[in-house]
Structure formats: structure tokens, C-alpha cells
Amino acid sequence: MKLSSREMVLAGMFAAATGVLAQFTIPLGPIPLTLQTFAVGFVVTVLGKKTGTLAILIYLLMGCIGLPVFAGGSAGISALFGPTGGFLVGFIFNGLVTGWLIEKTTTNYFWVIFANIVGAFVTLVFGSLWLKVSAGMPWAGAFSAGMIPFLIPGLIKAVAAGYLGQLVSQRLPRSLSFSK
């Protein structure tokens, strides 16, 4: 994957912004409600699949090497093995799926929001599957803990990420825009 200097700088800046948004949390048991998921959708909507997913990978790398960028200022590779690990890994696939859907459809508010909703659902599925595996929860318990409480907030954040991301993309000069 060949990236320009501009794409690398933007990926780094948006990774840092994701780390800042991750600090806005509402505790809901072992899995907090955060603005990380909003950030993932927004980043991919603005930067596109390739650069947006790179920003997500940089964000995860920053957290894994010890920078306090995960929810509530947490950090370290152990976060990938804790209750939120599936959600963190799911961000990568959220970015890929959201970016792919945006690339393959007409870039308008409806499709961008739809892509963000699908991507948010992907994150919830990864998070729930990880809860099943890591905590040995039954399927119903894993989905009840990892998906049900986050469906409505996830929908709201996905709509906001899609809408605001599309709004920002439309207002960027053509030389900076990643949209079609």
C-alpha cells in the first residue's frame, strides 16, 4: 500500500483525534460507552478506506505501546485481551467495511450513514464474539453484554459520524478530499 506524505500525516492526526475522543466515556460495566466508535466512522468517512483504516491502526498501535489513548486513558497490549479487546480489533474491520461500502456506493448522506451503521454493527459483533471467547460467556450473555446496550447509542453515533463526516468531506477543497 503506497501512501503519500499527506495521507500519512492525516492518518496520524486523525489517530490522535480518535485518542482524544476515546476519553469521553460513560461507564456501563466492563465495557464503557465511548466516542471511539464515532471517531472510527468519522475518520473513515473523511479519509477514505485506505487512509482511514491506517489511522485506526495507528490509533491501536499508540494504545498498545502504552500511550493512554484507549477509553478512560487505558493503554497497553493487555487492552486487546480484556473485555474491550474485541471492540478494539473490530474497529479495523469497521473501517474496512465502512470505507468499502462508501467507495462502492453513491457518496451521499443516505449511503454514507448506512455504511457507518453497518460498520458500527461490525464492531459490536466483534466485541460480542470476543466476550464469548475471552470470558467464556454463553452466546446470549455475550450478545446481551456486548451488543444490546450499545445498539441505540451505536446507531446515534453512526448517524452522527456519517452525517458529519460527509459534511466535512463536502467542504474540503478538492485537493484534500478523499471522496469520489
Side-chain angles (χ1 to χ4, degrees), residues 44-45 48-49 96-119 162 166 170 178-180:
V44 173
T45 301
K49 180 179 76 175
L96 291 170
V97 168
T98 301
W100 180 81
L101 285 170
I102 291 171
E103 284 178 3
K104 297 297 178 195
T105 59
T106 304
T107 307
N108 62 41
Y109 284 101
F110 173 80
W111 286 111
V112 170
I113 290 169
F114 176 77
N116 273 275
I117 291 170
V118 172
Q166 179 69 359
Q170 289 176 342
F178 289 87
S179 61
K180 295 181 198 175

Short mmCIF file of all heavy atoms in Angstrom, two decimals, residues 44-45 48-49 96-119 162 166 170 178-180:
data_model
loop_
_atom_site.label_atom_id
_atom_site.label_comp_id
_atom_site.label_asym_id
_atom_site.label_seq_id
_atom_site.Cartn_x
_atom_site.Cartn_y
_atom_site.Cartn_z
N VAL A 44 -13.01 7.32 8.81
CA VAL A 44 -13.09 6.60 7.54
C VAL A 44 -13.95 7.36 6.53
O VAL A 44 -13.64 7.39 5.34
CB VAL A 44 -13.62 5.16 7.75
CG1 VAL A 44 -13.87 4.46 6.44
CG2 VAL A 44 -12.62 4.37 8.58
N THR A 45 -14.99 8.00 7.00
CA THR A 45 -15.84 8.78 6.10
C THR A 45 -15.06 9.94 5.49
O THR A 45 -15.17 10.22 4.30
CB THR A 45 -17.09 9.31 6.83
OG1 THR A 45 -17.82 8.19 7.36
CG2 THR A 45 -17.98 10.11 5.91
N GLY A 48 -11.38 8.13 3.82
CA GLY A 48 -11.49 7.02 2.89
C GLY A 48 -11.01 5.72 3.53
O GLY A 48 -10.45 5.73 4.62
N LYS A 49 -11.24 4.63 2.83
CA LYS A 49 -10.95 3.30 3.39
C LYS A 49 -9.47 3.12 3.72
O LYS A 49 -9.11 2.74 4.83
CB LYS A 49 -11.40 2.20 2.43
CG LYS A 49 -11.14 0.80 2.94
CD LYS A 49 -11.62 -0.27 1.99
CE LYS A 49 -10.67 -0.38 0.85
NZ LYS A 49 -10.98 -1.46 -0.09
N LEU A 96 -12.67 -0.94 7.45
CA LEU A 96 -12.61 -1.58 6.13
C LEU A 96 -14.00 -1.70 5.50
O LEU A 96 -14.18 -1.39 4.32
CB LEU A 96 -11.95 -2.96 6.24
CG LEU A 96 -10.46 -2.96 6.57
CD1 LEU A 96 -9.99 -4.37 6.90
CD2 LEU A 96 -9.66 -2.37 5.41
N VAL A 97 -14.97 -2.15 6.28
CA VAL A 97 -16.33 -2.34 5.76
C VAL A 97 -16.97 -1.00 5.44
O VAL A 97 -17.55 -0.81 4.35
CB VAL A 97 -17.20 -3.15 6.76
CG1 VAL A 97 -18.67 -3.11 6.39
CG2 VAL A 97 -16.70 -4.59 6.84
N THR A 98 -16.88 -0.05 6.37
CA THR A 98 -17.47 1.27 6.13
C THR A 98 -16.84 1.92 4.91
O THR A 98 -17.55 2.42 4.02
CB THR A 98 -17.29 2.17 7.37
OG1 THR A 98 -17.92 1.54 8.49
CG2 THR A 98 -17.90 3.55 7.15
N GLY A 99 -15.51 1.91 4.84
CA GLY A 99 -14.82 2.51 3.70
C GLY A 99 -15.16 1.83 2.39
O GLY A 99 -15.37 2.49 1.37
N TRP A 100 -15.24 0.51 2.41
CA TRP A 100 -15.57 -0.24 1.19
C TRP A 100 -16.98 0.11 0.72
O TRP A 100 -17.19 0.36 -0.48
CB TRP A 100 -15.45 -1.74 1.46
CG TRP A 100 -15.76 -2.57 0.25
CD1 TRP A 100 -14.93 -2.85 -0.79
CD2 TRP A 100 -17.00 -3.22 -0.03
NE1 TRP A 100 -15.59 -3.64 -1.71
CE2 TRP A 100 -16.86 -3.88 -1.26
CE3 TRP A 100 -18.22 -3.31 0.65
CZ2 TRP A 100 -17.90 -4.61 -1.84
CZ3 TRP A 100 -19.24 -4.04 0.07
CH2 TRP A 100 -19.08 -4.68 -1.15
N LEU A 101 -17.94 0.15 1.65
CA LEU A 101 -19.31 0.49 1.27
C LEU A 101 -19.41 1.91 0.72
O LEU A 101 -20.12 2.15 -0.25
CB LEU A 101 -20.26 0.32 2.46
CG LEU A 101 -20.62 -1.11 2.84
CD1 LEU A 101 -21.36 -1.15 4.16
CD2 LEU A 101 -21.46 -1.75 1.74
N ILE A 102 -18.69 2.84 1.32
CA ILE A 102 -18.72 4.21 0.82
C ILE A 102 -18.12 4.27 -0.58
O ILE A 102 -18.65 4.95 -1.46
CB ILE A 102 -18.01 5.17 1.80
CG1 ILE A 102 -18.83 5.31 3.08
CG2 ILE A 102 -17.78 6.54 1.15
CD1 ILE A 102 -18.13 6.06 4.21
N GLU A 103 -17.05 3.53 -0.80
CA GLU A 103 -16.42 3.51 -2.13
C GLU A 103 -17.32 2.89 -3.19
O GLU A 103 -17.29 3.28 -4.34
CB GLU A 103 -15.11 2.72 -2.09
CG GLU A 103 -13.96 3.43 -1.44
CD GLU A 103 -12.70 2.58 -1.39
OE1 GLU A 103 -12.70 1.44 -1.92
OE2 GLU A 103 -11.71 3.06 -0.82
N LYS A 104 -18.10 1.89 -2.80
CA LYS A 104 -18.90 1.14 -3.77
C LYS A 104 -20.29 1.72 -4.02
O LYS A 104 -21.02 1.20 -4.85
CB LYS A 104 -19.06 -0.33 -3.30
CG LYS A 104 -17.76 -1.07 -3.22
CD LYS A 104 -17.13 -1.19 -4.58
CE LYS A 104 -15.80 -1.90 -4.51
NZ LYS A 104 -15.02 -1.75 -5.71
N THR A 105 -20.66 2.76 -3.29
CA THR A 105 -21.99 3.34 -3.47
C THR A 105 -21.86 4.81 -3.86
O THR A 105 -20.78 5.36 -3.89
CB THR A 105 -22.82 3.23 -2.17
OG1 THR A 105 -22.14 3.91 -1.12
CG2 THR A 105 -23.06 1.79 -1.77
N THR A 106 -22.99 5.40 -4.11
CA THR A 106 -23.02 6.83 -4.38
C THR A 106 -22.72 7.55 -3.08
O THR A 106 -23.30 7.24 -2.05
CB THR A 106 -24.43 7.23 -4.87
OG1 THR A 106 -24.75 6.45 -6.00
CG2 THR A 106 -24.47 8.70 -5.22
N THR A 107 -21.80 8.48 -3.14
CA THR A 107 -21.41 9.20 -1.93
C THR A 107 -22.44 10.29 -1.65
O THR A 107 -22.30 11.42 -2.08
CB THR A 107 -20.00 9.79 -2.07
OG1 THR A 107 -19.11 8.75 -2.45
CG2 THR A 107 -19.51 10.38 -0.76
N ASN A 108 -23.49 9.90 -0.94
CA ASN A 108 -24.48 10.87 -0.48
C ASN A 108 -24.78 10.53 0.98
O ASN A 108 -24.33 9.51 1.50
CB ASN A 108 -25.74 10.86 -1.36
CG ASN A 108 -26.46 9.53 -1.33
OD1 ASN A 108 -26.60 8.90 -0.30
ND2 ASN A 108 -26.94 9.09 -2.48
N TYR A 109 -25.52 11.40 1.63
CA TYR A 109 -25.76 11.21 3.06
C TYR A 109 -26.38 9.86 3.38
O TYR A 109 -25.97 9.20 4.33
CB TYR A 109 -26.64 12.35 3.60
CG TYR A 109 -25.89 13.64 3.77
CD1 TYR A 109 -26.00 14.66 2.84
CD2 TYR A 109 -25.05 13.83 4.86
CE1 TYR A 109 -25.29 15.84 2.98
CE2 TYR A 109 -24.33 15.01 5.02
CZ TYR A 109 -24.47 16.01 4.08
OH TYR A 109 -23.76 17.16 4.24
N PHE A 110 -27.36 9.42 2.62
CA PHE A 110 -28.02 8.15 2.92
C PHE A 110 -27.01 7.00 2.94
O PHE A 110 -26.95 6.24 3.91
CB PHE A 110 -29.14 7.85 1.92
CG PHE A 110 -29.72 6.47 2.11
CD1 PHE A 110 -30.66 6.25 3.11
CD2 PHE A 110 -29.28 5.40 1.34
CE1 PHE A 110 -31.17 4.97 3.32
CE2 PHE A 110 -29.80 4.12 1.55
CZ PHE A 110 -30.74 3.92 2.54
N TRP A 111 -26.21 6.87 1.87
CA TRP A 111 -25.31 5.73 1.78
C TRP A 111 -24.14 5.83 2.76
O TRP A 111 -23.68 4.82 3.29
CB TRP A 111 -24.80 5.55 0.35
CG TRP A 111 -25.88 4.99 -0.52
CD1 TRP A 111 -26.54 5.63 -1.52
CD2 TRP A 111 -26.46 3.69 -0.42
NE1 TRP A 111 -27.50 4.81 -2.07
CE2 TRP A 111 -27.47 3.60 -1.41
CE3 TRP A 111 -26.25 2.59 0.38
CZ2 TRP A 111 -28.25 2.47 -1.60
CZ3 TRP A 111 -27.03 1.45 0.20
CH2 TRP A 111 -28.01 1.39 -0.78
N VAL A 112 -23.69 7.03 3.02
CA VAL A 112 -22.60 7.20 3.98
C VAL A 112 -23.09 6.85 5.39
O VAL A 112 -22.39 6.16 6.14
CB VAL A 112 -22.03 8.64 3.91
CG1 VAL A 112 -21.08 8.91 5.06
CG2 VAL A 112 -21.33 8.85 2.58
N ILE A 113 -24.28 7.28 5.73
CA ILE A 113 -24.84 6.93 7.04
C ILE A 113 -25.10 5.43 7.12
O ILE A 113 -24.78 4.78 8.13
CB ILE A 113 -26.11 7.75 7.33
CG1 ILE A 113 -25.72 9.22 7.59
CG2 ILE A 113 -26.90 7.18 8.50
CD1 ILE A 113 -26.89 10.18 7.63
N PHE A 114 -25.65 4.84 6.05
CA PHE A 114 -25.88 3.40 6.01
C PHE A 114 -24.56 2.64 6.22
O PHE A 114 -24.49 1.69 7.01
CB PHE A 114 -26.53 2.99 4.68
CG PHE A 114 -26.69 1.51 4.52
CD1 PHE A 114 -27.71 0.84 5.17
CD2 PHE A 114 -25.82 0.78 3.73
CE1 PHE A 114 -27.87 -0.54 5.03
CE2 PHE A 114 -25.95 -0.59 3.58
CZ PHE A 114 -26.98 -1.25 4.24
N ALA A 115 -23.50 3.06 5.53
CA ALA A 115 -22.19 2.41 5.66
C ALA A 115 -21.69 2.50 7.09
O ALA A 115 -21.14 1.53 7.64
CB ALA A 115 -21.19 3.05 4.70
N ASN A 116 -21.90 3.64 7.74
CA ASN A 116 -21.47 3.80 9.13
C ASN A 116 -22.28 2.93 10.07
O ASN A 116 -21.74 2.41 11.05
CB ASN A 116 -21.55 5.28 9.54
CG ASN A 116 -20.30 6.03 9.21
OD1 ASN A 116 -19.35 6.02 9.98
ND2 ASN A 116 -20.26 6.66 8.04
N ILE A 117 -23.55 2.75 9.81
CA ILE A 117 -24.38 1.87 10.65
C ILE A 117 -23.90 0.43 10.51
O ILE A 117 -23.74 -0.28 11.51
CB ILE A 117 -25.87 2.02 10.30
CG1 ILE A 117 -26.37 3.41 10.73
CG2 ILE A 117 -26.71 0.91 10.93
CD1 ILE A 117 -27.76 3.76 10.21
N VAL A 118 -23.65 0.00 9.29
CA VAL A 118 -23.14 -1.37 9.08
C VAL A 118 -21.79 -1.54 9.79
O VAL A 118 -21.56 -2.54 10.47
CB VAL A 118 -23.03 -1.69 7.57
CG1 VAL A 118 -22.32 -3.02 7.35
CG2 VAL A 118 -24.41 -1.71 6.94
N GLY A 119 -20.91 -0.56 9.64
CA GLY A 119 -19.60 -0.63 10.29
C GLY A 119 -19.70 -0.68 11.80
O GLY A 119 -18.98 -1.44 12.46
N GLY A 162 -21.49 9.54 10.13
CA GLY A 162 -21.75 9.60 8.69
C GLY A 162 -22.14 10.99 8.24
O GLY A 162 -21.61 11.51 7.25
N GLN A 166 -19.54 13.25 6.13
CA GLN A 166 -19.93 13.65 4.77
C GLN A 166 -19.92 15.17 4.65
O GLN A 166 -19.46 15.72 3.64
CB GLN A 166 -21.32 13.08 4.44
CG GLN A 166 -21.83 13.45 3.07
CD GLN A 166 -21.06 12.78 1.94
OE1 GLN A 166 -20.11 12.03 2.14
NE2 GLN A 166 -21.47 13.06 0.73
N GLN A 170 -17.48 17.15 2.05
CA GLN A 170 -18.00 18.03 1.00
C GLN A 170 -17.39 19.43 1.07
O GLN A 170 -17.34 20.13 0.07
CB GLN A 170 -19.52 18.15 1.11
CG GLN A 170 -20.25 16.91 0.73
CD GLN A 170 -21.75 17.04 0.95
OE1 GLN A 170 -22.22 17.90 1.68
NE2 GLN A 170 -22.50 16.16 0.31
N PHE A 178 -11.05 13.00 -0.09
CA PHE A 178 -10.85 11.61 -0.44
C PHE A 178 -12.11 10.99 -1.03
O PHE A 178 -12.13 9.85 -1.40
CB PHE A 178 -10.42 10.79 0.79
CG PHE A 178 -9.02 11.11 1.21
CD1 PHE A 178 -8.76 12.15 2.07
CD2 PHE A 178 -7.96 10.38 0.72
CE1 PHE A 178 -7.47 12.45 2.46
CE2 PHE A 178 -6.67 10.67 1.10
CZ PHE A 178 -6.43 11.71 1.97
N SER A 179 -13.19 11.77 -1.03
CA SER A 179 -14.45 11.22 -1.55
C SER A 179 -14.41 11.19 -3.07
O SER A 179 -13.58 11.80 -3.71
CB SER A 179 -15.63 12.06 -1.04
OG SER A 179 -15.50 13.38 -1.50
N LYS A 180 -15.38 10.45 -3.64
CA LYS A 180 -15.45 10.29 -5.08
C LYS A 180 -15.68 11.61 -5.77
O LYS A 180 -16.36 12.46 -5.36
CB LYS A 180 -16.60 9.35 -5.45
CG LYS A 180 -16.40 7.96 -4.95
CD LYS A 180 -17.58 7.14 -5.39
CE LYS A 180 -17.70 5.87 -4.61
NZ LYS A 180 -18.85 5.12 -4.92
#
